[in-house]
Amino acid sequence: MDSGKKIYTVDTPPPYMSGPMHVGQVTHYTQIDTIARYKRMRGFEVNFPLGIDRNGLPVEVRVEKDLKISMRATPRAEFLELCKNRLNEDEKIVIDAFKRLGIAFNTYEDKGSYRTDSPRFRAVTQATFIDIWNKGLVYPDARPNNWCFDCGTTIADAEVEYSERPTTLNYLHFEVEGLNPIKIATTRPELLCACGAVFVHPDDERYTTYHGKTAKVPIFDLEVPIIASPSAQMEFGTGALMVCSYGDQNDVMAFRDHALAPIPAVSPDGTMNEAAGEYSGMKIGDARKAVLEELKKRNLLDKQEQSIQRVPLCWRSGTPIEFIAMDEYYVKQVQFIDELLKIANETTFYPSFHRQILIDWLNRVSVDWPVSRRRYYGTEIPIWYCNSCGEASVPELDGEPKYYQPWREDPPFTKCPKCGKEEGFTGEERTFDTWMDSSTSALQAVGYLRDDKLFKKAFGNILRPQGKDIVRTWLYYSLLRTLQLTGKPAFNEIWVSGHVVDENGEAMSKSKGNSPPPMPFVEKYGADAMRMFGALEAGLGSDVRFSEDRLAGVSKFMTKLWNVGRFVSMFPIPNGLKFEKLTLVDQWILAEVNKMVERIVPDCDMLDFHKPAIEIRGFTWNLFADHVLEMIKGRAFNTDEKFSKDEQESAWFTLHEVLNTITRALAPITPYITDKIYRELYDEKGIHRQEYPTVNKEWKSSLTEHTELLVQTNSAFWKFKRETGLSLRQGLPEAFISENLQPWMKDLQAMHGVERISFGEPKDDKFVEVKLPESEGSIYILPPAVEPE
Ligand SMILES: [Zn+2]
Ligand SMILES: [Zn+2]
């Protein structure tokens, strides 16, 4: 990072280690690598660290499953070691895949790269926490929150996903003294024991007489108030709503708003607690069945109805979440939303329409972020509690950040700041939500708290590339934390890609059997083809449909490019010829390549390589290989010396200029083949230290307006020969073509073996008219005399 060039940091998404990569990850990382390579060729010092995300639940679950052990029944230090070993194995596979794919991270060694579970990374995560703790942005609370039984921990709203599922709506009735029973529809009859109220809409005339009365909860004999509240929906079920602690987020708010006393009925392990009476100890689902049986027996169940429900699920384990009140630490986030909205609007998004995902999320954030997790394999929360007064204390921030493990270490202080006693401390056992770690990746990539010089130089020019599925988590938390820590926006550019889906547009998944392992494709078709495929198949932000047939087609283009390179390499490279000394045809070719560069650079600058890939492939294959090479090879070889030495050298120079430009234009997308060609022909330092092609103002030619006519004319010659059974090499005595093609005359004569080319239309009716395949106009060919047998 000392080259003096401006530093451009690519805040690589650290892949989570969970076995081999899938097709989507391969495409995602090669697309990001294309950006890094492009920026390097545009003169930036590119800081592209390899990050590996290793914290969190999935490895714990894999270790528990594979070794048939339980995390909480294993000594903590031992369990951590088992996780680490497992991660090291998985990491090797992923790093090998990265290398094979040509992902050019800064380095694959420890320096410049990071693992989120390394003491160095965790030390910075902890230091950032201590910083916001000191700023008063962290507080403990026991509010009900999303709880996942499988993960055994509280999770944040950002980690909750919703799924539509069939459910049963049960109609039952609550007795009301002096009135008809009030009918209720519920999907959670097992929570009757936790019922705190019945809500009816204030405008619902069916229930006006019930306002202020009490209802008797069936089976459990609780008396609960009937409250008029706009949160009851008149058109849902019977219009009367059972409010329990806690069926969903609405219940949480209802209890809070009406100061109702909650009756927690579900334990953190997913069973009913003593509040459920004879159902206590049962799993939620079993209790639901048993309560329904009892309702039927007592004739309290009026009817059942199938319905579709939006169920909140844990992002990682897919488990339906419950609302359970546990003591957790919260990071204040609600107060930052306005400022984050401003940042969201002011930061450049590629493509800009994905900005909306972030804005929608920001508008939904309504509670603070619970950050403590009851897991082992994560960064420890650096807090100790005074054994005398219970006061929570964090270490001082002083010099190089240090890594703390409070569950097994004494604190770096001896005296309680509150009571002043020295009676020892008890270490916090919980770890952080893993987004607390990964949200510091950008800061850590530019040396935050570790390398002030680098930080001053590099912070402020960071690109965040990522998938759209983690906008509300990784992107949001990174923006929030960077704002809290530095008061500034984290990124100046945010690049959000789509997903890779199967040929039919369906999400790929191992269980559906439509997610083949990618590396065998890479072995079969090559890393360049795989990378080119990812660029060709979809515009930035849209989903890529994976298809082996299309990948195979892309590999044919790579072969074509190689053959073009081999052909051009047969000719020497003349020393820099002046443009105006070149033949008109060669000036035309260079003007065409110039136009291609002009079309691709603006998209590349928007970090979208989709159209550029199409343009470069089209130019290379459809114009350069099919027409230009065929046309000027006669002049380049000049075997029968029909051309002058200058004309021949002009051809050599032009062929190399075009190949040089194409390879540099493609280098960020297909680094292997372009580097191989470039190293052998042009510079042994390789292609990736070269500049990306830019528009050459000299390379202009009015002939480019006739390019299409030229292409059509060639096609007409080939068509004539094919249809009359002549070989493509067969000579022709004479042909008439458009006079606009006069500058190409000599090259066209050599290309099609025409002895004499004239312009306009022939008078002689021995000429055969051949219509141009895709435009108006014709050429006229005098067929060769048929040799008598
Ligand atoms: Zn879970
Ligand atoms: Zn104390």
Side-chain angles (χ1 to χ4, degrees), residues 563-616:
N563 289 338
V564 166
R566 213 167 47 180
F567 177 80
V568 175
S569 74
M570 291 195 287
F571 306 106
I573 311 168
N575 280 333
L577 298 184
K578 284 233 155 52
F579 184 75
E580 59 274 13
K581 297 274 187 219
L582 302 176
T583 69
L584 289 179
V585 169
D586 293 336
Q587 291 182 358
W588 159 76
I589 299 165
L590 293 183
E592 278 294 342
V593 85
N594 212 26
K595 277 171 66 182
M596 178 198 77
V597 171
E598 197 173 4
R599 286 193 299 269
I600 65 175
V601 168
D603 278 20
C604 296
D605 283 340
M606 307 271 280
L607 313 184
D608 187 351
F609 295 87
H610 172 57
K611 273 189 248 145
I614 292 172
E615 288 281 353
I616 301 166

Side-chain angles (χ1 to χ4, degrees), residues 386 389 416 419:
C386 170
C389 73
C416 172
C419 67

Side-chain angles (χ1 to χ4, degrees), residues 376-510:
Y376 287 175
Y377 207 85
T379 300
E380 290 86 350
I381 301 179
I383 293 179
W384 280 265
Y385 303 92
C386 170
N387 285 344
S388 174
C389 73
E391 174 76 357
S393 297
V394 298
E396 264 178 52
L397 280 182
D398 181 22
E400 183 90 348
K402 288 183 204 71
Y403 175 42
Y404 301 103
Q405 294 189 293
W407 57 274
R408 66 168 163 195
E409 281 171 14
D410 285 332
F413 42 81
T414 51
K415 203 163 140 186
C416 172
K418 192 179 178 194
C419 67
K421 291 194 178 139
E422 299 199 12
E423 291 181 14
F425 294 85
T426 304
E428 170 62 60
E429 297 202 339
R430 285 169 294 175
T431 55
F432 285 122
D433 176 358
T434 59
W435 298 112
M436 278 290 281
D437 297 90
S438 51
S439 58
T440 65
S441 65
L443 289 170
Q444 300 225 28
V446 294
Y448 185 62
L449 301 183
R450 270 204 323 266
D451 183 344
D452 285 348
K453 220 175 115 206
L454 173 64
F455 185 75
K456 278 204 187 85
K457 254 170 94 175
F459 183 63
N461 196 27
I462 303 177
L463 165 73
R464 158 56 63 82
Q466 63 163 74
K468 62 184 177 188
D469 53 333
I470 48 175
V471 167
R472 63 183 198 178
T473 47
W474 193 38
L475 178 58
Y476 166 70
Y477 288 135
S478 301
L479 292 168
L480 171 73
R481 301 261 280 130
T482 306
L483 177 65
Q484 290 176 337
L485 293 162
T486 69
K488 297 202 171 90
F491 313 109
N492 62 336
E493 293 174 314
I494 295 166
W495 176 96
V496 181
S497 72
H499 294 152
V500 174
V501 295
D502 77 1
E503 271 176 280
N504 306 314
E506 302 248 339
M508 284 179 146
S509 77
K510 277 192 196 122

Side-chain angles (χ1 to χ4, degrees), residues 180-456:
N180 287 330
I182 191 162
K183 290 191 174 175
I184 302 264
T186 177
T187 59
R188 303 283 312 261
E190 75 280 12
L191 290 182
L192 281 171
C193 61
C195 185
V198 170
F199 279 8
V200 292
H201 198 278
D203 302 336
D204 194 336
E205 286 168 9
R206 291 171 292 181
Y207 300 116
T208 318
T209 52
Y210 289 78
H211 296 180
K213 304 254 182 212
T214 58
K216 208 167 129 202
V217 180
I219 303 182
F220 296 96
D221 288 337
L222 300 166
E223 293 277 341
V224 298
I226 300 171
I227 299 172
S229 162
S231 61
Q233 291 170 293
M234 294 200 281
E235 57 291 347
F236 179 78
T238 61
L241 177 72
M242 162 175 130
V243 178
C244 307
S245 54
Y246 298 99
D248 57 23
Q249 188 68 50
N250 292 330
D251 284 349
V252 174
M253 287 188 295
F255 271 83
R256 196 184 57 202
D257 294 349
H258 295 273
L260 301 167
I263 311 169
V266 177
S267 302
D269 65 355
T271 60
M272 306 302 294
N273 67 16
E274 52 292 352
E278 59 179 290
Y279 306 97
S280 82
M282 283 187 183
K283 286 196 169 147
I284 296 171
D286 296 339
R288 184 175 309 160
K289 278 186 210 135
V291 169
L292 283 171
E293 277 311 307
E294 188 60 27
L295 286 167
K296 272 184 207 161
K297 226 166 42 189
R298 298 196 193 182
N299 237 346
L300 294 167
L301 187 63
D302 301 333
K303 66 170 175 171
Q304 290 185 304
E305 207 168 70
Q306 291 310 304
S307 137
I308 297 289
Q309 194 184 22
R310 226 169 134 248
V311 184
L313 304 175
C314 168
W315 189 72
R316 295 214 188 263
S317 61
T319 314
I321 60 141
E322 291 288 331
F323 289 86
I324 292 190
M326 300 288 279
D327 269 314
E328 305 292 1
Y329 280 107
Y330 286 81
V331 167
K332 292 184 184 172
Q333 59 181 359
V334 177
Q335 70 195 69
F336 294 96
I337 296 302
D338 284 345
E339 231 170 315
L340 288 169
L341 276 167
K342 194 163 167 267
I343 288 173
N345 281 310
E346 285 171 359
T347 305
T348 305
F349 270 74
Y350 303 117
S352 60
F353 61 83
H354 276 340
R355 181 197 315 274
Q356 199 55 41
I357 306 177
L358 176 63
I359 293 192
D360 288 347
W361 173 247
L362 287 170
N363 286 327
R364 273 170 55 200
V365 173
S366 59
V367 292
D368 287 332
W369 175 19
V371 295
S372 45
R373 296 288 180 273
R374 290 153 207 276
R375 304 296 309 179
Y376 287 175
Y377 207 85
T379 300
E380 290 86 350
I381 301 179
I383 293 179
W384 280 265
Y385 303 92
C386 170
N387 285 344
S388 174
C389 73
E391 174 76 357
S393 297
V394 298
E396 264 178 52
L397 280 182
D398 181 22
E400 183 90 348
K402 288 183 204 71
Y403 175 42
Y404 301 103
Q405 294 189 293
W407 57 274
R408 66 168 163 195
E409 281 171 14
D410 285 332
F413 42 81
T414 51
K415 203 163 140 186
C416 172
K418 192 179 178 194
C419 67
K421 291 194 178 139
E422 299 199 12
E423 291 181 14
F425 294 85
T426 304
E428 170 62 60
E429 297 202 339
R430 285 169 294 175
T431 55
F432 285 122
D433 176 358
T434 59
W435 298 112
M436 278 290 281
D437 297 90
S438 51
S439 58
T440 65
S441 65
L443 289 170
Q444 300 225 28
V446 294
Y448 185 62
L449 301 183
R450 270 204 323 266
D451 183 344
D452 285 348
K453 220 175 115 206
L454 173 64
F455 185 75
K456 278 204 187 85

Side-chain angles (χ1 to χ4, degrees), residues 41 72 163 187 203 268 341 398 453 463 579 623 663 683 708 732:
M41 292 180 78
R72 294 185 212 279
S163 163
T187 59
D203 302 336
L341 276 167
D398 181 22
K453 220 175 115 206
L463 165 73
F579 184 75
L623 188 64
T663 47
D683 189 345
E708 188 51 29
L732 301 168

